[in-house]
Each structure stands twice: as C-alpha cells, then as structure tokens.
Amino acid sequence: MVDEHPKFPKPVLIVALSLSGLLALGVITLGLVSRFSEQQEQDAVEAAQQARRTGPLALPPIPSPAASGPDCAKLLSALPAELEVDGAQVPRRALADPVPPGAIAWGDAEHDPITVRCGLSAPAELTPTSPLVDISGVSWLRITEAGNTSWLAVDRPVYVALTAPENSGSGPVQDLSNELRSLPKQPVFP
C-alpha cells in the first residue's frame, strides 16, 4: 500500500507554519493601525471643528471701502445680539484682532460661525445675468463654496454679505433682510 499523503520534511513544515502565523499577525496589525489612523483622523476633524467654534473668530481682511460709513454703522448697530439658527439662539461671537471694519459674527460651541460684513466692494460674481433671489424685499446674490453659502445684498447703498454654513437655513438671511430694508433700495446696476 502506497502512502497517498506525501510527508514534508520537518523544517519545511516549521517554515510554512511560521509564515502563515506571520501573515495572520500582519493582517491583524494592519487592521489595528487602520482603525487607529481612522480614530486619529476623526479626532483631528473634531478638534478643528471645536477650534472653529470657540474663542475669538479670525476673519481675513477683504476690501471693504464703505465699512466705516454711516450706512454700515446703522446696519451693524441694529443687528441682534443673538440669531435663531435651527430653533436655537446663537450668541454674538468675539472677533480676533485685528478686527476687520464692518464685520460681526455669531456662533458657539454647537454652531459654526455666521458672519456679516458690510461695505464690501462690488462682487466679481455680480453680472447683469446673475440670478438674484428676493428675500423679504432685498435682492441677494447667492454664492456657495467650500461648505458655506454667502448671501450678498446687492440693492442697497452698501454691499453686505452674510456667510453661513450651508445647513443653517434661511432664518439669518431673513433677519438681515428685515434690517436692510431700513436702508434705501437702489438699482442693482445703475
């Protein structure tokens, strides 16, 4: 009778078992490293979000030639101390130095910042064919990029921009429209 199963030399068996053990250990290690990396990435995103939502908000300077004028002073002083966002009252947020003229913000630990800038230069996106949206009697140009929406009021003596996260609803734009109606309406293109 012939043995149907060939016998492997003992060193070959030891090497094969060792390699399969190392392979299994490598797969387990790779899984753990991958899970650790995902956790680190999630922690970094949460830390960035928390930093964006707390402390004084740094705003980059942008051309705002009419920011120190009487129209912006009147508008900014009339804006509320809190905004309603998704049913929650969101307080004003301090701005980091140097504070750009004509700028204010709202936000807290649960809400990304919402900013208003007054006295801006005419936006390059505003053309005679730009689609404008009328909200409470104010003409707005909507620009969306990088997860934020900027609403630019284009029919008042000064250009005003409200920038908010895309998911913040229309409440802040409606509130600002109500205040902007106190400034005289002007043609979008003189």
Side-chain angles (χ1 to χ4, degrees):
M1 181 159 180
V2 178
D3 188 7
E4 294 179 16
H5 300 326
K7 294 192 177 188
F8 292 104
K10 197 173 200 177
V12 172
L13 285 174
I14 291 172
V15 169
L17 290 173
S18 296
L19 287 176
S20 60
L22 287 173
L23 178 62
L25 184 60
V27 169
I28 291 170
T29 302
L30 184 61
L32 291 174
V33 168
S34 175
R35 182 172 290 174
F36 180 72
S37 295
E38 287 174 10
Q39 184 63 43
Q40 280 187 316
E41 185 177 314
Q42 183 179 0
D43 290 348
V45 167
E46 289 175 10
Q49 183 179 50
Q50 195 60 21
R52 188 175 61 245
R53 291 181 171 179
T54 60
L57 179 64
L59 292 177
I62 58 174
S64 304
S68 299
D71 289 327
C72 286
K74 177 181 176 182
L75 175 66
L76 294 178
S77 68
L79 293 178
E82 293 183 331
L83 280 182
E84 184 173 332
V85 179
D86 296 327
Q89 294 298 315
V90 179
R92 282 251 183 121
R93 181 160 170 196
L95 297 177
D97 288 327
V99 175
I104 62 171
W106 295 267
D108 60 17
E110 286 81 40
H111 298 88
D112 285 331
I114 295 173
T115 62
V116 169
R117 290 185 181 235
C118 185
L120 304 172
S121 298
E125 295 86 354
L126 182 62
T127 67
T129 59
S130 296
L132 300 180
V133 178
D134 184 277
I135 299 176
S136 300
V138 177
S139 294
W140 294 91
L141 174 64
R142 182 179 182 204
I143 301 169
T144 301
E145 69 180 27
N148 288 318
T149 299
S150 290
W151 295 88
L152 291 103
V154 296
D155 65 347
R156 303 299 149 160
V158 290
Y159 291 105
V160 178
L162 180 138
T163 302
E166 284 186 67
N167 60 354
S168 38
S170 63
V173 179
Q174 291 174 341
D175 291 344
L176 186 54
S177 291
N178 292 335
E179 296 301 331
L180 279 168
R181 287 193 315 231
S182 69
L183 298 176
K185 188 171 181 108
Q186 298 188 344
V188 175
F189 295 101

